[in-house]
Amino acid sequence: MKTPYIFAKRFVAGESYDVAEKKVRAINEKGNRVTLDLLGENIKDATTAAQTVDAYIELLEQIKTSGLDSSISVKLTMMGLDISEDVCYDNLSRLLDTAKAHNQFVRIDMEGSDYTEATIELFKRALKDYEGHVGLVLQAYLHRTAKDVAELAELGADIRLCKGAYKESAAVALQSMDEIRAAYKEYAKILIEKTSFPRMATHDGSLVKWLLDYAASEGLAKDRFEFQMLYGLRESTMNKLASEGWKTCVYVPYGTMWFPYFTRRLMERKENVFFIATTLFKS
Ligand SMILES: Cc1cc2nc3c(=O)[nH]c(=O)nc-3n(C[C@H](O)[C@H](O)[C@H](O)COP(=O)(O)OP(=O)(O)OC[C@H]3O[C@@H](n4cnc5c(N)ncnc54)[C@H](O)[C@@H]3O)c2cc1C
């Protein structure tokens, strides 16, 4: 049986662009940028992957027409990474051609560790032709991120740093939250030192505080990095940071294919399960 959208409403801005657009406008009005994610993952056939790119291109055009302050976030498995890297790259470059022509920005989300190597390689390829229009995500929990962050920071890449949302084994990823936080801080420092505008994606109060303290102790300007959080989480914190002059960006997912995204949010925190239950019972 299909799970009704009402369950996902807290984390997903709507099932259509028109509904999501109103939410984005309200978020922009509070001084936050947005990155829109048309939900979906793991497309296995070339025709559907090409149609997905058409939908992403339409999304870039809709953002431009409606005058929203929004980039987009995409997953390479939506653009054919499970078919082949070449199919995926052709689709990615078609999307980035539009982004470049309209002076827009596309961020490549990071998926499970089976895709990390290919995602980074395709990103590095894209960076040569589309610098300023494409960025990537790195996950602090992966052991390999120590090497990836050093290499990509040297290239001056536009990186969103997050902890990592997928279930990974101890062979590939740190398992304890203390170790993940320590890695996050180490990589954040490298990105702040070496790149012009890194994006710090976390709802973790201790990391947000650490970032604010670090900025104060290093005398960093408020536009040296950006705070990023997910739609539906810590909204008042984001609005407060924005009102204090910090750069902020809310990741806003929408679309009908919300189930895997929604499941990851539930797995992260038991409070999220509680919130879904109260949302449901209130409506
Ligand atoms: C903008 C953005 C983009 C992302 N992109 C990706 C991606 O491409 N790939 C990927 O793998 N993952 C991505 N993630 C998810 C990320 O990897 C983590 O899984 C997710 O953010 C949970 O980790 P956390 O640091 O936010 O806090 P958690 O580890 O979930 O929480 C740590 C602590 O923070 C506090 N906290 C957390 N949430 C709240 C809340 N709502 N209210 C109050 N306190 C709270 C609590 O004290 C909690 O114990 C993204 C996250 C964000 C914010």
Side-chain angles (χ1 to χ4, degrees):
M1 194 185 74
K2 190 176 178 295
T3 309
Y5 170 69
I6 181 79
F7 282 100
K9 207 167 88 171
R10 197 242 167 137
F11 303 111
V12 177
E15 289 196 294
S16 69
Y17 176 79
D18 289 344
V19 176
E21 186 196 317
K22 293 186 183 66
K23 311 261 174 75
V24 173
R25 204 172 290 289
I27 294 167
N28 280 168
E29 279 165 9
K30 299 274 184 189
N32 307 288
R33 287 175 165 172
V34 164
T35 185
L36 268 164
D37 170 21
L38 175 53
L39 288 165
E41 42 209 284
N42 291 98
I43 282 171
K44 306 284 186 201
D45 72 282
T47 308
T48 315
Q51 286 165 349
T52 302
V53 177
D54 293 342
Y56 284 154
I57 289 173
E58 189 187 356
L59 173 58
L60 285 177
E61 280 157 3
Q62 286 166 318
I63 290 169
K64 194 171 167 59
T65 308
S66 46
L68 299 176
D69 187 356
S70 180
S71 59
I72 68 169
S73 288
V74 301
K75 291 187 172 47
L76 292 188
T77 61
M78 286 282 280
M79 290 195 277
L81 189 55
D82 286 328
I83 304 165
S84 81
E85 288 184 26
D86 285 342
V87 167
C88 184
Y89 192 75
D90 287 348
N91 282 328
L92 177 64
S93 45
R94 192 155 67 84
L95 176 65
L96 292 175
D97 284 339
T98 303
K100 195 172 175 176
H102 293 174
N103 196 21
Q104 290 175 300
F105 189 83
V106 176
R107 182 166 312 276
I108 301 171
D109 283 346
M110 190 57 82
E111 302 178 67
S113 61
D114 289 348
Y115 298 107
T116 312
E117 180 66 22
T119 303
I120 291 176
E121 285 313 307
L122 291 176
F123 168 72
K124 285 197 296 198
R125 218 165 129 186
L127 199 56
K128 294 197 177 90
D129 287 329
Y130 303 101
E131 193 168 2
H133 303 284
V134 64
L136 186 68
V137 178
L138 290 177
Q139 299 155 321
Y141 67 3
L142 291 187
H143 301 314
R144 62 169 289 160
T145 298
K147 168 180 82 57
D148 294 330
V149 87
E151 186 188 354
L152 292 170
E154 264 332 302
L155 296 176
D158 186 322
I159 300 293
R160 171 198 299 152
L161 181 64
C162 66
K163 285 180 185 165
Y166 298 80
K167 179 94 194 116
E168 302 287 1
S169 72
V172 294
L174 300 168
Q175 305 290 311
S176 99
M177 191 52 88
D178 284 349
E179 285 180 320
I180 297 170
R181 284 194 180 110
Y184 192 104
K185 291 174 189 173
E186 185 190 330
Y187 304 149
K189 283 187 199 168
I190 295 171
L191 291 171
I192 290 169
E193 187 196 334
K194 304 259 178 171
T195 71
S196 58
F197 193 50
R199 326 294 174 126
M200 304 301 169
T202 183
H203 315 101
D204 187 329
S206 73
L207 286 180
V208 172
K209 180 175 182 313
W210 177 82
L211 282 161
L212 293 171
D213 290 348
Y214 184 71
S217 71
E218 297 293 306
L220 301 178
K222 287 184 172 171
D223 60 0
R224 266 305 273 111
F225 61 87
E226 182 177 70
F227 288 100
Q228 295 200 348
M229 295 194 191
L230 301 177
Y231 175 80
L233 297 174
R234 310 212 72 166
E235 192 183 331
S236 57
T237 305
M238 281 301 253
N239 290 339
K240 182 166 181 289
L241 287 168
S243 72
E244 290 168 359
W246 296 95
K247 298 294 172 191
T248 54
C249 176
V250 181
Y251 183 110
V252 178
Y254 78 99
T256 54
M257 288 157 67
W258 44 259
F259 192 73
Y261 175 87
F262 167 68
T263 310
R264 282 197 294 279
R265 300 292 77 80
L266 291 193
M267 301 296 283
E268 264 159 20
R269 291 187 82 215
K270 61 180 183 312
E271 290 88 339
N272 289 345
V273 179
F274 176 72
F275 193 97
I276 299 302
T278 49
T279 306
L280 185 72
F281 292 123
K282 269 190 217 149
S283 57

Short mmCIF file of all heavy atoms in Angstrom, two decimals, residues 19-76:
data_model
loop_
_atom_site.label_atom_id
_atom_site.label_comp_id
_atom_site.label_asym_id
_atom_site.label_seq_id
_atom_site.Cartn_x
_atom_site.Cartn_y
_atom_site.Cartn_z
N VAL A 19 3.11 24.00 -5.58
CA VAL A 19 2.95 24.02 -4.12
C VAL A 19 4.29 24.38 -3.47
O VAL A 19 4.37 25.24 -2.58
CB VAL A 19 2.43 22.66 -3.61
CG1 VAL A 19 2.36 22.64 -2.10
CG2 VAL A 19 1.08 22.34 -4.23
N ALA A 20 5.37 23.74 -3.95
CA ALA A 20 6.70 23.99 -3.37
C ALA A 20 7.12 25.45 -3.55
O ALA A 20 7.73 26.05 -2.67
CB ALA A 20 7.73 23.05 -4.00
N GLU A 21 6.76 26.03 -4.70
CA GLU A 21 7.20 27.41 -5.00
C GLU A 21 6.76 28.39 -3.91
O GLU A 21 7.54 29.26 -3.50
CB GLU A 21 6.62 27.84 -6.36
CG GLU A 21 7.15 29.19 -6.80
CD GLU A 21 6.34 29.84 -7.91
OE1 GLU A 21 5.94 29.16 -8.87
OE2 GLU A 21 6.11 31.06 -7.79
N LYS A 22 5.55 28.23 -3.43
CA LYS A 22 5.04 29.15 -2.39
C LYS A 22 5.88 29.02 -1.11
O LYS A 22 6.20 30.00 -0.46
CB LYS A 22 3.58 28.83 -2.08
CG LYS A 22 2.65 29.13 -3.23
CD LYS A 22 1.19 28.92 -2.82
CE LYS A 22 0.24 29.13 -3.98
NZ LYS A 22 0.37 28.14 -5.06
N LYS A 23 6.27 27.78 -0.80
CA LYS A 23 7.08 27.57 0.42
C LYS A 23 8.47 28.20 0.23
O LYS A 23 9.01 28.81 1.15
CB LYS A 23 7.23 26.06 0.69
CG LYS A 23 5.90 25.27 0.65
CD LYS A 23 5.34 25.04 2.03
CE LYS A 23 3.97 24.40 2.03
NZ LYS A 23 3.93 22.99 1.74
N VAL A 24 9.01 28.03 -0.97
CA VAL A 24 10.35 28.60 -1.24
C VAL A 24 10.31 30.12 -1.11
O VAL A 24 11.19 30.73 -0.50
CB VAL A 24 10.85 28.18 -2.65
CG1 VAL A 24 12.15 28.89 -2.99
CG2 VAL A 24 11.03 26.67 -2.73
N ARG A 25 9.25 30.71 -1.66
CA ARG A 25 9.15 32.17 -1.60
C ARG A 25 9.13 32.64 -0.15
O ARG A 25 9.81 33.59 0.23
CB ARG A 25 7.88 32.62 -2.35
CG ARG A 25 7.96 34.04 -2.86
CD ARG A 25 6.79 34.40 -3.75
NE ARG A 25 6.79 33.75 -5.05
CZ ARG A 25 7.63 34.01 -6.04
NH1 ARG A 25 8.56 34.93 -5.90
NH2 ARG A 25 7.55 33.37 -7.20
N ALA A 26 8.37 31.93 0.67
CA ALA A 26 8.28 32.32 2.10
C ALA A 26 9.64 32.17 2.78
O ALA A 26 10.03 33.00 3.61
CB ALA A 26 7.23 31.46 2.79
N ILE A 27 10.38 31.12 2.43
CA ILE A 27 11.71 30.90 3.02
C ILE A 27 12.67 32.00 2.57
O ILE A 27 13.42 32.57 3.37
CB ILE A 27 12.24 29.49 2.64
CG1 ILE A 27 11.36 28.41 3.28
CG2 ILE A 27 13.70 29.32 3.05
CD1 ILE A 27 11.60 27.01 2.74
N ASN A 28 12.62 32.35 1.27
CA ASN A 28 13.44 33.45 0.74
C ASN A 28 13.12 34.76 1.47
O ASN A 28 14.02 35.54 1.78
CB ASN A 28 13.16 33.66 -0.76
CG ASN A 28 13.88 32.68 -1.68
OD1 ASN A 28 13.58 32.61 -2.87
ND2 ASN A 28 14.82 31.91 -1.17
N GLU A 29 11.82 34.98 1.73
CA GLU A 29 11.43 36.25 2.37
C GLU A 29 12.02 36.40 3.78
O GLU A 29 12.17 37.50 4.29
CB GLU A 29 9.89 36.38 2.40
CG GLU A 29 9.37 36.89 1.06
CD GLU A 29 7.87 36.70 0.86
OE1 GLU A 29 7.18 36.32 1.83
OE2 GLU A 29 7.42 36.91 -0.28
N LYS A 30 12.38 35.28 4.39
CA LYS A 30 13.03 35.33 5.72
C LYS A 30 14.55 35.49 5.61
O LYS A 30 15.28 35.38 6.59
CB LYS A 30 12.75 34.05 6.51
CG LYS A 30 11.28 33.81 6.79
CD LYS A 30 10.85 34.53 8.05
CE LYS A 30 9.41 34.19 8.39
NZ LYS A 30 8.87 35.00 9.44
N GLY A 31 15.05 35.66 4.37
CA GLY A 31 16.48 35.90 4.19
C GLY A 31 17.31 34.66 3.94
O GLY A 31 18.54 34.72 3.96
N ASN A 32 16.65 33.52 3.70
CA ASN A 32 17.36 32.28 3.42
C ASN A 32 17.34 31.97 1.92
O ASN A 32 16.30 32.08 1.28
CB ASN A 32 16.69 31.09 4.11
CG ASN A 32 16.48 31.30 5.58
OD1 ASN A 32 17.44 31.28 6.34
ND2 ASN A 32 15.25 31.52 6.00
N ARG A 33 18.48 31.52 1.41
CA ARG A 33 18.47 30.94 0.07
C ARG A 33 17.84 29.55 0.15
O ARG A 33 17.70 28.99 1.23
CB ARG A 33 19.89 30.75 -0.44
CG ARG A 33 20.55 32.02 -0.82
CD ARG A 33 21.96 31.68 -1.19
NE ARG A 33 22.59 32.76 -1.90
CZ ARG A 33 23.87 32.77 -2.19
NH1 ARG A 33 24.64 31.75 -1.84
NH2 ARG A 33 24.41 33.77 -2.84
N VAL A 34 17.59 28.98 -1.02
CA VAL A 34 17.02 27.63 -1.07
C VAL A 34 17.80 26.81 -2.09
O VAL A 34 18.37 27.35 -3.04
CB VAL A 34 15.52 27.70 -1.46
CG1 VAL A 34 14.98 26.35 -1.91
CG2 VAL A 34 14.69 28.23 -0.28
N THR A 35 17.84 25.49 -1.87
CA THR A 35 18.21 24.58 -2.96
C THR A 35 17.07 23.59 -3.10
O THR A 35 16.65 22.96 -2.12
CB THR A 35 19.59 23.92 -2.73
OG1 THR A 35 19.92 23.16 -3.90
CG2 THR A 35 19.65 23.04 -1.49
N LEU A 36 16.50 23.53 -4.30
CA LEU A 36 15.32 22.67 -4.55
C LEU A 36 15.76 21.30 -5.03
O LEU A 36 16.64 21.18 -5.89
CB LEU A 36 14.44 23.31 -5.60
CG LEU A 36 13.32 24.24 -5.10
CD1 LEU A 36 12.80 25.10 -6.24
CD2 LEU A 36 12.17 23.44 -4.47
N ASP A 37 15.13 20.28 -4.48
CA ASP A 37 15.43 18.90 -4.89
C ASP A 37 14.15 18.26 -5.40
O ASP A 37 13.20 18.05 -4.63
CB ASP A 37 15.96 18.13 -3.66
CG ASP A 37 16.07 16.63 -3.90
OD1 ASP A 37 16.13 16.22 -5.08
OD2 ASP A 37 16.10 15.87 -2.91
N LEU A 38 14.12 17.97 -6.70
CA LEU A 38 13.00 17.21 -7.27
C LEU A 38 13.27 15.74 -6.95
O LEU A 38 14.19 15.13 -7.50
CB LEU A 38 12.93 17.45 -8.79
CG LEU A 38 11.89 16.65 -9.57
CD1 LEU A 38 10.50 16.80 -8.98
CD2 LEU A 38 11.88 17.08 -11.03
N LEU A 39 12.50 15.19 -6.02
CA LEU A 39 12.86 13.91 -5.40
C LEU A 39 12.83 12.71 -6.35
O LEU A 39 12.04 12.66 -7.29
CB LEU A 39 11.92 13.63 -4.23
CG LEU A 39 12.17 14.51 -3.00
CD1 LEU A 39 10.97 14.43 -2.05
CD2 LEU A 39 13.44 14.10 -2.28
N GLY A 40 13.68 11.75 -6.03
CA GLY A 40 13.75 10.49 -6.78
C GLY A 40 15.16 9.96 -6.72
O GLY A 40 16.09 10.69 -6.37
N GLU A 41 15.35 8.69 -6.98
CA GLU A 41 16.71 8.12 -7.04
C GLU A 41 16.67 6.78 -7.76
O GLU A 41 15.62 6.19 -7.97
CB GLU A 41 17.34 7.98 -5.65
CG GLU A 41 16.46 7.47 -4.55
CD GLU A 41 16.88 8.02 -3.18
OE1 GLU A 41 17.86 7.55 -2.63
OE2 GLU A 41 16.20 8.94 -2.67
N ASN A 42 17.84 6.34 -8.17
CA ASN A 42 18.04 5.02 -8.77
C ASN A 42 17.14 4.71 -9.97
O ASN A 42 16.42 3.73 -9.99
CB ASN A 42 17.89 3.93 -7.70
CG ASN A 42 19.05 3.99 -6.72
OD1 ASN A 42 18.90 4.55 -5.64
ND2 ASN A 42 20.20 3.46 -7.09
N ILE A 43 17.24 5.56 -10.99
CA ILE A 43 16.55 5.28 -12.25
C ILE A 43 17.39 4.32 -13.08
O ILE A 43 18.60 4.49 -13.20
CB ILE A 43 16.28 6.61 -13.00
CG1 ILE A 43 15.09 7.28 -12.32
CG2 ILE A 43 16.02 6.37 -14.48
CD1 ILE A 43 14.82 8.67 -12.78
N LYS A 44 16.74 3.27 -13.61
CA LYS A 44 17.52 2.19 -14.24
C LYS A 44 17.47 2.21 -15.77
O LYS A 44 18.13 1.41 -16.41
CB LYS A 44 16.99 0.82 -13.77
CG LYS A 44 16.94 0.63 -12.27
CD LYS A 44 18.32 0.38 -11.68
CE LYS A 44 18.19 0.06 -10.19
NZ LYS A 44 19.40 0.29 -9.46
N ASP A 45 16.59 3.02 -16.39
CA ASP A 45 16.56 2.99 -17.85
C ASP A 45 16.84 4.38 -18.45
O ASP A 45 16.50 5.41 -17.85
CB ASP A 45 15.24 2.41 -18.38
CG ASP A 45 14.08 3.36 -18.19
OD1 ASP A 45 13.58 3.46 -17.06
OD2 ASP A 45 13.71 4.04 -19.17
N ALA A 46 17.44 4.35 -19.64
CA ALA A 46 17.97 5.58 -20.24
C ALA A 46 16.86 6.58 -20.57
O ALA A 46 17.06 7.79 -20.43
CB ALA A 46 18.78 5.23 -21.48
N THR A 47 15.69 6.07 -20.99
CA THR A 47 14.61 6.99 -21.37
C THR A 47 14.13 7.77 -20.15
O THR A 47 13.97 9.00 -20.20
CB THR A 47 13.43 6.19 -21.98
OG1 THR A 47 13.95 5.36 -23.01
CG2 THR A 47 12.36 7.09 -22.54
N THR A 48 13.94 7.07 -19.04
CA THR A 48 13.47 7.76 -17.83
C THR A 48 14.54 8.72 -17.31
O THR A 48 14.22 9.83 -16.84
CB THR A 48 13.09 6.73 -16.73
OG1 THR A 48 12.34 5.69 -17.33
CG2 THR A 48 12.28 7.36 -15.63
N ALA A 49 15.81 8.32 -17.41
CA ALA A 49 16.90 9.22 -16.96
C ALA A 49 16.88 10.51 -17.78
O ALA A 49 17.00 11.61 -17.23
CB ALA A 49 18.24 8.51 -17.07
N ALA A 50 16.69 10.37 -19.11
CA ALA A 50 16.65 11.56 -19.98
C ALA A 50 15.44 12.42 -19.64
O ALA A 50 15.52 13.66 -19.62
CB ALA A 50 16.62 11.13 -21.45
N GLN A 51 14.31 11.76 -19.34
CA GLN A 51 13.11 12.54 -18.97
C GLN A 51 13.33 13.29 -17.65
O GLN A 51 12.85 14.40 -17.45
CB GLN A 51 11.90 11.60 -18.82
CG GLN A 51 11.38 11.13 -20.17
CD GLN A 51 10.42 9.93 -20.04
OE1 GLN A 51 10.30 9.32 -18.97
NE2 GLN A 51 9.77 9.59 -21.14
N THR A 52 14.08 12.65 -16.75
CA THR A 52 14.38 13.31 -15.47
C THR A 52 15.21 14.57 -15.70
O THR A 52 14.97 15.61 -15.08
CB THR A 52 15.13 12.34 -14.54
OG1 THR A 52 14.33 11.20 -14.37
CG2 THR A 52 15.41 12.97 -13.19
N VAL A 53 16.19 14.46 -16.60
CA VAL A 53 17.00 15.66 -16.90
C VAL A 53 16.11 16.75 -17.50
O VAL A 53 16.25 17.93 -17.15
CB VAL A 53 18.17 15.30 -17.85
CG1 VAL A 53 18.96 16.55 -18.20
CG2 VAL A 53 19.06 14.28 -17.18
N ASP A 54 15.18 16.35 -18.37
CA ASP A 54 14.23 17.35 -18.92
C ASP A 54 13.49 18.04 -17.76
O ASP A 54 13.28 19.25 -17.78
CB ASP A 54 13.20 16.68 -19.84
CG ASP A 54 13.83 16.13 -21.12
OD1 ASP A 54 14.96 16.55 -21.45
OD2 ASP A 54 13.21 15.26 -21.76
N ALA A 55 13.09 17.23 -16.78
CA ALA A 55 12.34 17.80 -15.63
C ALA A 55 13.24 18.74 -14.83
O ALA A 55 12.80 19.81 -14.38
CB ALA A 55 11.81 16.68 -14.74
N TYR A 56 14.53 18.38 -14.65
CA TYR A 56 15.46 19.27 -13.93
C TYR A 56 15.65 20.57 -14.71
O TYR A 56 15.74 21.66 -14.13
CB TYR A 56 16.82 18.61 -13.77
CG TYR A 56 16.94 17.52 -12.72
CD1 TYR A 56 17.90 16.52 -12.85
CD2 TYR A 56 16.13 17.49 -11.59
CE1 TYR A 56 18.06 15.53 -11.89
CE2 TYR A 56 16.27 16.51 -10.63
CZ TYR A 56 17.24 15.52 -10.78
OH TYR A 56 17.40 14.55 -9.84
N ILE A 57 15.76 20.45 -16.05
CA ILE A 57 15.95 21.65 -16.87
C ILE A 57 14.71 22.55 -16.75
O ILE A 57 14.82 23.77 -16.58
CB ILE A 57 16.24 21.26 -18.35
CG1 ILE A 57 17.65 20.65 -18.43
CG2 ILE A 57 16.09 22.45 -19.29
CD1 ILE A 57 18.03 20.06 -19.77
N GLU A 58 13.55 21.91 -16.78
CA GLU A 58 12.31 22.69 -16.60
C GLU A 58 12.31 23.38 -15.23
O GLU A 58 11.91 24.53 -15.10
CB GLU A 58 11.10 21.76 -16.73
CG GLU A 58 9.79 22.52 -16.77
CD GLU A 58 8.58 21.60 -16.72
OE1 GLU A 58 8.73 20.36 -16.74
OE2 GLU A 58 7.47 22.15 -16.61
N LEU A 59 12.82 22.68 -14.22
CA LEU A 59 12.88 23.26 -12.88
C LEU A 59 13.79 24.50 -12.87
O LEU A 59 13.43 25.54 -12.30
CB LEU A 59 13.38 22.21 -11.87
CG LEU A 59 13.64 22.70 -10.45
CD1 LEU A 59 12.40 23.34 -9.83
CD2 LEU A 59 14.13 21.55 -9.56
N LEU A 60 14.96 24.41 -13.53
CA LEU A 60 15.83 25.59 -13.60
C LEU A 60 15.09 26.75 -14.26
O LEU A 60 15.19 27.90 -13.82
CB LEU A 60 17.11 25.26 -14.40
CG LEU A 60 18.17 24.40 -13.70
CD1 LEU A 60 19.33 24.12 -14.65
CD2 LEU A 60 18.70 25.07 -12.42
N GLU A 61 14.32 26.43 -15.32
CA GLU A 61 13.60 27.50 -16.01
C GLU A 61 12.49 28.08 -15.13
O GLU A 61 12.28 29.29 -15.09
CB GLU A 61 13.07 26.98 -17.36
CG GLU A 61 14.21 26.98 -18.39
CD GLU A 61 14.04 26.03 -19.56
OE1 GLU A 61 12.98 25.37 -19.64
OE2 GLU A 61 14.98 25.96 -20.39
N GLN A 62 11.81 27.20 -14.39
CA GLN A 62 10.75 27.68 -13.49
C GLN A 62 11.33 28.60 -12.41
O GLN A 62 10.74 29.63 -12.06
CB GLN A 62 10.04 26.49 -12.83
CG GLN A 62 9.11 25.75 -13.78
CD GLN A 62 8.68 24.39 -13.23
OE1 GLN A 62 9.49 23.65 -12.66
NE2 GLN A 62 7.42 24.05 -13.39
N ILE A 63 12.49 28.22 -11.87
CA ILE A 63 13.13 29.05 -10.83
C ILE A 63 13.45 30.43 -11.39
O ILE A 63 13.20 31.45 -10.76
CB ILE A 63 14.41 28.36 -10.30
CG1 ILE A 63 14.05 27.11 -9.49
CG2 ILE A 63 15.25 29.32 -9.48
CD1 ILE A 63 15.24 26.22 -9.15
N LYS A 64 14.00 30.42 -12.60
CA LYS A 64 14.38 31.69 -13.23
C LYS A 64 13.14 32.55 -13.47
O LYS A 64 13.12 33.73 -13.11
CB LYS A 64 15.09 31.40 -14.55
CG LYS A 64 15.82 32.59 -15.12
CD LYS A 64 16.67 32.19 -16.29
CE LYS A 64 17.16 33.39 -17.06
NZ LYS A 64 17.95 34.31 -16.25
N THR A 65 12.10 31.94 -14.03
CA THR A 65 10.88 32.69 -14.35
C THR A 65 10.24 33.25 -13.08
O THR A 65 9.75 34.38 -13.05
CB THR A 65 9.86 31.77 -15.06
OG1 THR A 65 10.52 31.15 -16.15
CG2 THR A 65 8.64 32.54 -15.56
N SER A 66 10.22 32.44 -12.01
CA SER A 66 9.52 32.90 -10.81
C SER A 66 10.39 33.80 -9.93
O SER A 66 9.92 34.30 -8.91
CB SER A 66 8.96 31.72 -10.02
OG SER A 66 9.92 30.72 -9.90
N GLY A 67 11.67 33.98 -10.32
CA GLY A 67 12.53 34.92 -9.59
C GLY A 67 12.89 34.46 -8.20
O GLY A 67 13.18 35.27 -7.32
N LEU A 68 12.90 33.13 -7.97
CA LEU A 68 13.26 32.62 -6.65
C LEU A 68 14.77 32.66 -6.47
O LEU A 68 15.52 32.55 -7.45
CB LEU A 68 12.79 31.16 -6.50
CG LEU A 68 11.29 30.91 -6.60
CD1 LEU A 68 11.00 29.42 -6.52
CD2 LEU A 68 10.53 31.67 -5.51
N ASP A 69 15.22 32.76 -5.20
CA ASP A 69 16.65 32.64 -4.91
C ASP A 69 16.91 31.18 -4.58
O ASP A 69 16.88 30.75 -3.43
CB ASP A 69 17.02 33.56 -3.74
CG ASP A 69 18.52 33.59 -3.51
OD1 ASP A 69 19.25 32.86 -4.21
OD2 ASP A 69 18.96 34.37 -2.64
N SER A 70 17.10 30.37 -5.64
CA SER A 70 17.24 28.93 -5.42
C SER A 70 18.15 28.30 -6.45
O SER A 70 18.05 28.57 -7.65
CB SER A 70 15.86 28.25 -5.50
OG SER A 70 15.97 26.87 -5.29
N SER A 71 19.03 27.42 -5.95
CA SER A 71 19.77 26.51 -6.82
C SER A 71 18.99 25.19 -6.87
O SER A 71 17.89 25.11 -6.32
CB SER A 71 21.17 26.29 -6.24
OG SER A 71 21.04 25.73 -4.94
N ILE A 72 19.56 24.16 -7.50
CA ILE A 72 18.93 22.84 -7.40
C ILE A 72 19.96 21.82 -6.92
O ILE A 72 21.17 21.98 -7.10
CB ILE A 72 18.27 22.36 -8.72
CG1 ILE A 72 19.30 22.07 -9.83
CG2 ILE A 72 17.25 23.38 -9.21
CD1 ILE A 72 18.69 21.35 -11.03
N SER A 73 19.45 20.77 -6.27
CA SER A 73 20.28 19.65 -5.84
C SER A 73 19.80 18.41 -6.57
O SER A 73 18.59 18.17 -6.65
CB SER A 73 20.16 19.44 -4.33
OG SER A 73 20.82 20.48 -3.64
N VAL A 74 20.75 17.64 -7.11
CA VAL A 74 20.36 16.47 -7.92
C VAL A 74 21.14 15.23 -7.46
O VAL A 74 22.19 15.35 -6.82
CB VAL A 74 20.65 16.71 -9.43
CG1 VAL A 74 19.89 17.92 -9.93
CG2 VAL A 74 22.16 16.88 -9.69
N LYS A 75 20.60 14.07 -7.84
CA LYS A 75 21.30 12.82 -7.54
C LYS A 75 21.71 12.17 -8.87
O LYS A 75 20.89 12.06 -9.78
CB LYS A 75 20.39 11.88 -6.75
CG LYS A 75 20.15 12.39 -5.34
CD LYS A 75 19.41 11.41 -4.48
CE LYS A 75 19.37 11.89 -3.03
NZ LYS A 75 18.98 13.31 -2.87
N LEU A 76 22.96 11.72 -8.94
CA LEU A 76 23.42 11.15 -10.22
C LEU A 76 22.69 9.85 -10.55
O LEU A 76 22.59 9.50 -11.73
CB LEU A 76 24.93 10.96 -10.21
CG LEU A 76 25.77 12.24 -10.20
CD1 LEU A 76 27.25 11.92 -10.38
CD2 LEU A 76 25.31 13.24 -11.26
#
